[in-house]
Amino acid sequence: MRSLRFEAPIAQPPENGRRVRQARFEARSSLPASAACVVANGVRETLTSLLGSVTLRLFEPVIPDPNAWQAITRDAILYRVRGSVADGAVILRSCDAIELVSAVFSEPASRFAVERMLSPIELDVIDRIARAIAANLAAVCGARDASPPERVAEIRGFVTFFELLLEKPAQARVGIALSRDPSPEPSGCVEFGHLAGVRVAAAVTLDLGTARAAAVTRLAAGAILPIRAGDLRRCALISHGRRLARGICGIRNGRYAFAVHAASETA
């Protein structure tokens, strides 16, 4: 979902005193934090049964861009889970998998953990841990089918991602990815009445036809351009480069006036 975001406040305001922060639209996950918390609590209980007392942190769901997905899945072991609402994936980077295996065997992870491969026994342990973690994804994936999580070489088309950080007894991250982001529920809308007090600068333009470039270059202050009565019917109301309406120019009660005949598309 595209959401409006404002940049962080400026620590030192500029000399002119302006404090307006730049706004921009960015992709933001609609996955409720409560659903991610349900998953995190389930994973914490699962890891507690395997490792003893654990400390786990949850990072909020995000919508990674393609480059971020490459970094997330690089050198990672991936497990795909089929769900009725969305497919899920458990992502364990090699270094994190080694940390988890070492914690299971109560062994300190080697400082060269990133450089070595998992042994067949260690890989079997990781498969069991991933299956146990995947059992907690019902809150975000819906009901699972009977098939167990499958190890896959890559995941494509996934949208949402959040991460669980295991701080104790080992330092490891568990990534959770979802194939779709929930559709946000409508929470209100902006009506014309909300914008009634907003002032906009507008100008009326008059279409006099065409002229040669040479004639335009000869125009100077005080030059008189002939205006026919029919020309006054080809006026347009312009605001910030957008044509808002078409109509007739004239004078009413001693003031310039513009009578709207048709509204124009602003796109």
Side-chain angles (χ1 to χ4, degrees):
M1 182 181 74
R2 304 287 292 179
S3 301
L4 182 63
R5 177 182 178 273
F6 293 90
E7 290 187 346
I10 302 174
Q12 295 292 334
E15 295 181 359
N16 58 13
R18 294 187 62 184
R19 296 174 179 268
V20 178
R21 289 184 282 168
Q22 185 176 2
R24 65 185 181 192
F25 284 94
E26 63 178 18
R28 183 175 298 176
S29 174
S30 300
L31 183 69
S34 57
C37 286
V38 171
V39 175
N41 285 330
V43 173
R44 178 176 55 81
E45 293 178 3
T46 297
L47 294 179
T48 297
S49 65
L50 297 173
L51 307 176
S53 177
V54 302
T55 301
L56 194 70
R57 291 178 58 192
L58 167 66
F59 293 92
E60 67 174 318
V62 296
I63 305 289
D65 60 28
N67 292 331
W69 278 115
Q70 292 180 10
I72 289 169
T73 59
R74 185 181 299 121
D75 298 327
I77 307 173
L78 309 173
Y79 299 87
R80 185 163 188 153
V81 180
R82 306 287 179 177
S84 59
V85 176
D87 287 354
V90 177
I91 303 173
L92 293 171
R93 300 179 187 88
S94 297
C95 56
D96 298 316
I98 293 172
E99 287 278 355
L100 285 174
V101 169
S102 300
V104 168
F105 292 116
S106 300
E107 297 176 350
S110 169
R111 63 189 182 93
F112 301 107
V114 180
E115 303 175 8
R116 74 175 182 86
M117 301 291 291
L118 289 168
S119 69
I121 294 179
E122 290 174 328
L123 198 54
D124 181 67
V125 171
I126 286 298
D127 289 345
R128 293 172 183 269
I129 294 175
R131 293 191 191 103
I133 292 174
N136 300 286
L137 298 185
V140 291
C141 294
R144 288 176 48 195
D145 56 20
S147 59
E150 56 180 331
R151 195 194 304 172
V152 294
E154 60 181 359
I155 52 174
R156 292 186 179 182
F158 276 63
V159 179
T160 307
F161 175 80
F162 63 94
E163 202 164 49
L164 308 173
L165 173 61
L166 178 65
E167 296 183 327
K168 192 179 67 173
Q171 293 279 339
R173 294 175 181 264
V174 178
I176 305 295
L178 302 177
S179 62
R180 62 183 295 269
D181 202 53
S183 299
E185 297 182 359
S187 58
C189 59
V190 177
E191 300 178 355
F192 284 116
H194 298 149
L195 306 177
V198 178
R199 293 180 174 271
V200 295
V204 173
T205 63
L206 176 62
D207 183 5
L208 293 180
T210 60
R212 293 183 176 276
V216 175
T217 60
R218 289 194 295 269
L219 290 176
I224 298 176
L225 299 177
I227 300 177
R228 300 179 296 272
D231 295 335
L232 297 177
R233 299 181 177 273
R234 298 198 303 270
C235 297
L237 183 66
I238 306 295
S239 178
H240 297 280
R242 303 277 184 135
R243 187 172 65 179
L244 304 180
R246 298 186 300 275
I248 301 175
C249 291
I251 296 177
R252 184 172 183 177
N253 297 329
R255 305 183 66 177
Y256 293 115
F258 178 79
V260 177
H261 275 192
S264 299
E265 296 291 337
T266 59

